[in-house]
Amino acid sequence: PAEEVVVYDYFGDSAAIGTQVLSGTEVLKQLETSDSIWVTFEAPIQAVCQTKGCWMEVQLDSATTALVRFKDYGFFVPMDASGEVATVAGSVKKEVLSVEWLQEQARDANESDSAVAAITKPEVRLTVMASGVALVQKPAASTESKGHGEAAAEGEGHDHE
């Protein structure tokens, strides 16, 4: 039988995605000795901005997630990408996230008003400023893809800076 070829959908700069792809655990290990690293890594997506796909949360290991944002808001990921494994190229570092950002993120993830109101302190989190993201292409039978552009247009003015 012919070897199955994996086809990716690229978001952002596909050339940024390196050939050496680390696991989430390897990323965490490199961060033990460095404040900021530029890497390509693979990790499962836990959540995606439900307003227009302008951030995602990835699981680096069983206890650690990282917030992935996209360089210059130049690209977005599909809002239904949760559960897929993303290949991400970008700069990873620890960052203090403001109460405002954390509340906005909770709203984007459709959290309840009480969950949003419970966010009262900034958090130190791992963040990724991604230049490129690759997701394994879904089978062509999908008709969902045409809706993504419309959703993005509705979310205009949706900004996390």
Side-chain angles (χ1 to χ4, degrees):
E3 191 178 313
E4 197 172 315
V5 176
V6 178
V7 179
Y8 290 91
D9 282 326
Y10 291 94
F11 304 89
D13 181 5
S14 61
I17 296 172
T19 51
Q20 185 188 1
V21 179
L22 303 179
S23 68
T25 309
E26 290 167 322
V27 170
L28 294 172
K29 192 157 198 58
Q30 285 195 16
L31 283 168
E32 289 172 11
T33 56
S34 187
D35 290 342
S36 174
I37 56 173
W38 173 269
V39 290
T40 297
F41 67 93
E42 262 187 358
I45 301 171
Q46 296 301 309
V48 176
C49 170
Q50 291 300 296
T51 303
K52 70 178 192 184
C54 59
W55 56 260
M56 65 184 178
E57 202 64 54
V58 295
Q59 192 80 40
L60 294 178
D61 69 8
S62 60
T64 313
T65 60
L67 169 66
V68 180
R69 289 175 284 189
F70 308 113
K71 190 171 190 254
D72 303 325
Y73 282 94
F75 62 99
F76 307 108
V77 294
M79 291 185 287
D80 63 355
S82 204
E84 294 183 42
V85 173
T87 303
V88 180
S91 172
V92 186
K93 65 180 182 181
K94 283 193 174 114
E95 187 179 341
V96 178
L97 297 177
S98 69
V99 170
E100 294 77 19
W101 161 259
L102 294 166
Q103 288 178 336
E104 178 72 18
Q105 184 186 12
R107 278 192 288 275
D108 289 345
N110 297 325
E111 294 287 342
S112 67
D113 290 345
S114 58
V116 172
I119 299 169
T120 58
K121 291 199 281 285
E123 258 181 56
V124 175
R125 295 279 315 280
L126 279 181
T127 63
V128 182
M129 186 52 68
S131 290
V133 174
L135 299 174
V136 173
Q137 205 172 72
K138 291 182 177 171
S142 169
T143 56
E144 304 166 61
S145 59
K146 67 178 182 202
H148 293 309
E150 296 155 29
E154 288 168 23
E156 290 307 323
H158 176 70
D159 196 4
H160 294 293
E161 294 196 74

